[in-house]
Amino acid sequence: MRHTSRNYAGNTSWVKIIMKHAVCVLKFGGTSVGSGERIRQVATIIANTLQSSEEAFPVVVVSAMSGVTDQLLRIARHACSGEQKACDQELLALRQKHLDAAEHVKGAQPGLLADLEQTLAELYKTVLALKRVAKSSQDVSLPTAAVASYGERLSILLVSAAVNDIGVPSEPVRQEVIITCHPQSDPTQPFGVVVGAEPLTEETRANARTLIYPLIERGVVPVAGGFIGRTITGHATTLGRNGSDYSATVIGAALDCVETSIYTDVDGVLSADPRLVANARLLPHLSYAEAARLSWFGAKVLHPRTLIPIAHRNIPVRVRNTFRPHIRGTVVGPVDEQSGATAITIRRKLALITVESTDLFGAPENAGQVFALADRAGAAPVVICSSSGHHLSFAVEEQAADSIVALLQQDMGNWVVRCRRGLGACACIGSGFTIDPMSPARAITALASERIPVITQGTSEQGIAFIVKDKDCERALRALHRDLIAPVIPLVRHHTNGAPSYKREERQAAR
């Protein structure tokens, strides 16, 4: 790969920087680009990555400014329902939000303002097209998705201008990078926002290289929009809710990147929710399986889909804090060593469904049939707790329990179906948790010491999930974290000349 040599902002090492062949993806979420000041901070992170001798050449993927996607969906709703005044008010507010942010991006200001106004004019035309489709009673999914895509289209202009302003050449990638199949509309989503627009691997790979590699060869930092794509038939679409981080790893895989960094508003992945556990620890490393399991059981840092494009290729994902970029965050990737409990998380509002045969000498239960019926009800089991031939129990989202029970009672013949509500799952995640014979015993002891009854449990190679009463979930989380990960070392009172003083107890807490 050949690069053009330039010198920007007095940077004498520019030639060495742009001669890098390796590419990294930097993804910034809506909070990170939520204002003009924050966008300038993002630009500084991008420039520092480019100028670091330890980093690969950055390709940037950004979300819409925080709150903008919801605002665009409100605009789509007003357009579909004929609420013209409300629609115009939202459009004006959206315009002002981006113009205010542009005030803090000083470089190439006339060009930036012109680009913003042009993109806003395109949005207005898209809204008018949506109104026409809605009036004709046609499917509004694709035109609504086209409206929803404009948050990213506006965001890339601001971020790219901010990067240029600090002396680093950058260009927005105005075309959609990700090529998808033609999506299915989902009536449960607001106004038909498309979901299930799955990326097409080879088509995306070819398109990403066509759009992005020429910029890299010129030493220009590309800034692309996350969340959005274009169908194979040429329509603008989205990857659905929580699709922004996913889009970053899709692009990273297409470019064979060495690492994808997800910049957000937390330091990385913690050993527990810090709102519930005061001494939660930053986890420096997680395996792909551990991260996926944590996400499944309620941790909100990474959506499970984020890891799909890159896990089988061993491309690491680093979770970092935009506002504390000096912290290296958590690396999710291939991990050789197995650990005990790495993190504790909870998933609440569950129901436990038990299916049991009334004929102990008849045919054993058919787990496949049970889960097929659950799938028909639109609910996947959160935890499979036990199966013993004539007995099967599993936890599901509480709101889906009634429909699953009704299907099971209708189709399972002589089987007895029971349902217990008001439960939660407290999961101990760690690749080596079940290998260590002491870890499960210590977990049970921790819960017993708090008088928290365990209703049942499910075990996998990544750990154990204990089903407890929903009201006990937070106490269970703190007890397990205290005894398995980070023991609380109590303060001990000492008296010096009659006055009390405090210091940490010297002895090591029992492990």
Side-chain angles (χ1 to χ4, degrees):
M1 185 183 298
R2 182 176 59 85
H3 298 280
T4 304
S5 174
R6 294 186 187 179
N7 189 349
Y8 290 89
N11 181 10
T12 57
S13 61
W14 186 259
V15 175
K16 182 177 77 171
I17 293 168
I18 64 176
M19 286 299 295
K20 298 175 181 177
H21 292 261
V23 170
C24 66
V25 171
L26 310 183
K27 162 64 175 54
F28 296 93
T31 305
S32 298
V33 295
S35 66
E37 295 91 339
R38 291 181 176 182
I39 288 171
R40 292 191 65 81
Q41 185 170 1
V42 163
T44 301
I45 293 172
I46 295 167
N48 289 341
T49 301
L50 183 66
Q51 294 166 4
S52 170
S53 60
E54 299 177 357
E55 303 285 354
F57 194 95
V59 173
V60 180
V61 178
V62 297
S63 297
M65 295 179 72
S66 56
V68 165
T69 300
D70 287 335
Q71 191 172 18
L72 287 164
L73 291 176
R74 290 197 299 271
I75 290 169
R77 182 187 69 198
H78 296 320
C80 288
S81 58
E83 300 173 77
Q84 188 60 48
K85 184 177 179 180
C87 184
D88 289 342
Q89 288 175 342
E90 290 284 7
L91 285 167
L92 285 172
L94 182 77
R95 176 180 181 273
Q96 193 59 51
K97 182 182 182 76
H98 288 85
L99 293 181
D100 289 346
E103 288 296 321
H104 296 274
V105 180
K106 299 176 183 178
Q109 186 79 338
L112 171 60
L113 293 177
D115 285 344
L116 287 173
E117 292 290 8
Q118 179 183 344
T119 304
L120 288 165
E122 294 169 358
L123 169 60
Y124 300 151
K125 292 179 181 178
T126 306
V127 172
L128 290 174
L130 172 60
K131 288 174 65 176
R132 289 193 296 270
V133 171
K135 283 183 179 180
S136 63
S137 300
Q138 299 179 51
D139 183 8
V140 298
S141 296
L142 281 173
T144 302
V147 171
S149 72
Y150 272 88
E152 279 69 22
R153 298 184 196 281
L154 292 163
S155 185
I156 63 174
L157 301 177
L158 293 167
V159 173
S160 182
V163 174
N164 275 307
D165 185 52
I166 59 176
V168 173
S170 172
E171 287 185 19
V173 181
R174 297 172 191 266
Q175 293 177 260
E176 300 88 350
V177 176
I178 297 172
I179 306 298
T180 76
C181 62
H182 195 80
Q184 299 292 324
S185 63
D186 184 348
T188 67
Q189 294 293 319
F191 286 84
V193 172
V194 290
V195 295
E198 288 302 320
L200 299 172
T201 302
E202 292 307 317
E203 290 83 351
T204 298
R205 187 178 184 86
N207 193 50
R209 293 178 175 225
T210 298
L211 295 175
I212 292 175
Y213 272 172
L215 297 175
I216 296 174
E217 288 174 353
R218 290 162 41 209
V220 174
V221 175
V223 180
F227 177 62
I228 63 177
R230 181 164 292 274
T231 71
I232 196 70
T233 52
H235 296 280
T237 187
T238 72
L239 275 64
R241 285 295 193 180
N242 301 308
S244 190
D245 290 349
Y246 179 42
S247 64
T249 54
V250 169
I251 293 171
L255 297 174
D256 296 321
C257 74
V258 296
E259 183 176 278
T260 297
S261 292
I262 306 292
Y263 279 88
T264 180
D265 54 1
V266 295
D267 289 341
V269 182
L270 301 180
S271 58
D273 186 338
R275 295 168 298 182
L276 303 176
V277 178
N279 62 335
R281 296 176 174 179
L282 178 66
L283 304 175
H285 301 282
L286 278 175
S287 71
Y288 295 117
E290 288 170 337
R293 197 74 171 165
L294 271 175
S295 181
W296 177 250
F297 279 106
K300 302 299 184 183
V301 178
L302 276 181
H303 191 275
R305 286 201 302 168
T306 303
L307 302 174
I308 293 173
I310 46 99
H312 69 284
R313 304 182 64 181
N314 287 338
I315 298 173
V317 175
R318 188 183 295 270
V319 182
R320 302 186 69 171
N321 194 335
T322 305
F323 312 108
R324 289 154 57 90
H326 60 283
I327 296 175
R328 295 293 292 171
T330 301
V331 177
V332 179
V335 176
D336 293 331
E337 63 185 42
Q338 293 183 319
S339 63
T342 299
I344 316 292
T345 188
I346 54 177
R347 185 162 173 175
R348 305 187 65 173
K349 297 182 179 179
L350 302 180
L352 183 69
I353 295 177
T354 301
V355 183
E356 192 166 16
S357 175
T358 57
D359 182 4
L360 296 181
F361 301 99
E365 52 88 359
N366 187 337
Q369 181 183 356
V370 171
F371 295 137
L373 291 171
D375 184 62
R376 274 176 54 190
V382 175
V383 187
I384 299 173
C385 300
S386 63
S387 179
S388 59
H390 293 82
H391 176 277
L392 176 67
S393 65
F394 57 98
V396 298
E397 294 283 355
E398 196 169 35
Q399 63 187 11
D402 288 340
S403 56
I404 295 174
V405 169
L407 285 171
L408 290 172
Q409 288 175 336
Q410 177 182 333
D411 287 23
M412 291 300 291
N414 294 326
W415 293 72
V416 176
V417 181
R418 300 185 181 91
C419 180
R420 180 171 178 177
R421 294 171 173 79
L423 305 178
C426 194
C428 304
I429 307 299
S431 55
F433 186 82
T434 55
I435 294 175
D436 177 9
M438 293 305 297
S439 292
R442 289 171 56 207
I444 290 290
T445 301
L447 296 176
S449 68
E450 297 294 327
R451 298 184 180 276
I452 298 172
V454 176
I455 295 163
T456 185
Q457 66 187 55
T459 305
S460 74
E461 291 182 357
Q462 280 73 51
I464 293 180
F466 298 101
I467 304 298
V468 299
K469 293 179 181 178
D470 188 84
K471 65 182 181 63
D472 291 333
C473 275
E474 292 184 10
R475 282 200 304 129
L477 170 68
R478 286 188 281 268
L480 291 167
H481 191 274
R482 177 195 65 215
D483 286 14
L484 298 177
I485 295 179
V488 177
I489 302 176
L491 294 173
V492 179
R493 180 180 297 176
H494 298 273
H495 291 274
T496 305
N497 298 326
S501 64
Y502 300 87
K503 69 175 183 178
R504 293 281 180 189
E505 191 174 11
E506 298 292 338
R507 65 179 177 83
Q508 178 69 31
R511 295 289 290 175

